[in-house]
Amino acid sequence: MHRHESLLSADEISHEAELVWLEDTDQLDYVRQSLDRLPTRKGKPPYHRPGRMVGYAISDADAKASRASGTFRRRVFWLQPHDRDSEPDGLYAKSAPAEAVDPRTLQPCVKGYKTERSEGGPPSTAMQELGVTLPL
């Protein structure tokens, strides 16, 4: 089990109603996921990391705000500028960051997991169309 996956419990995402994708996940081998404290249950959250947000979770009406902060814990999916989709031969050509999961394994209330593809296995359709091959 990866360090980040152990920190993300099923209980923390048990009130997810929907995952909203801002990009076509079929073109992405992996996405990074984090559990952010956000001011609302739904709507596109603000984004303050390098790179770009590619998706986020919407919580159901039963989701409770933190008593201390008044915020809701929601997943945000994102990519850094040096991730494989932007730099196929870069740092993550044959691996994936600790917090990354294959977006095809994600659903509301489902943590997702790494796959051979997310770890640098068979190339994505986008990489095949560009003629990009990963080092063996």
Side-chain angles (χ1 to χ4, degrees):
M1 182 175 288
H2 295 278
R3 183 177 53 197
H4 183 79
E5 290 172 337
S6 65
L7 297 177
L8 181 65
S9 75
D11 189 48
E12 290 176 305
I13 60 175
S14 64
H15 289 288
E16 288 182 343
E18 180 183 352
L19 299 182
V20 176
W21 294 106
L22 305 172
E23 296 186 23
D24 180 1
T25 58
D26 287 341
Q27 303 303 312
L28 301 172
D29 292 337
Y30 64 80
V31 296
R32 296 171 185 251
Q33 70 175 340
S34 59
L35 197 57
D36 292 359
R37 291 199 174 275
L38 300 171
T40 61
R41 284 184 183 95
K42 56 186 178 180
K44 184 177 177 183
Y47 185 73
H48 305 292
R49 291 180 180 89
R52 67 192 194 274
M53 179 173 26
V54 296
Y56 56 91
I58 292 177
S59 299
D60 63 27
D62 293 332
K64 303 287 186 234
S66 161
R67 288 184 184 184
S69 66
T71 58
F72 297 89
R73 302 214 8 129
R74 290 172 45 201
R75 282 192 293 177
V76 174
F77 306 101
W78 47 286
L79 290 166
Q80 292 271 334
H82 59 275
D83 279 327
R84 190 183 313 145
D85 69 303
S86 297
E87 292 187 14
D89 296 324
L91 178 63
Y92 295 112
K94 295 196 298 183
S95 65
E99 68 273 17
V101 294
D102 186 329
R104 286 160 290 280
T105 67
L106 292 165
Q107 294 178 34
C109 307
V110 175
K111 293 190 289 186
Y113 52 89
K114 286 180 164 53
T115 62
E116 182 180 3
R117 181 175 173 155
S118 70
E119 287 290 312
S124 68
T125 305
M127 291 175 71
Q128 290 172 353
E129 288 171 359
L130 293 171
V132 176
T133 56
L134 297 173
L136 298 176

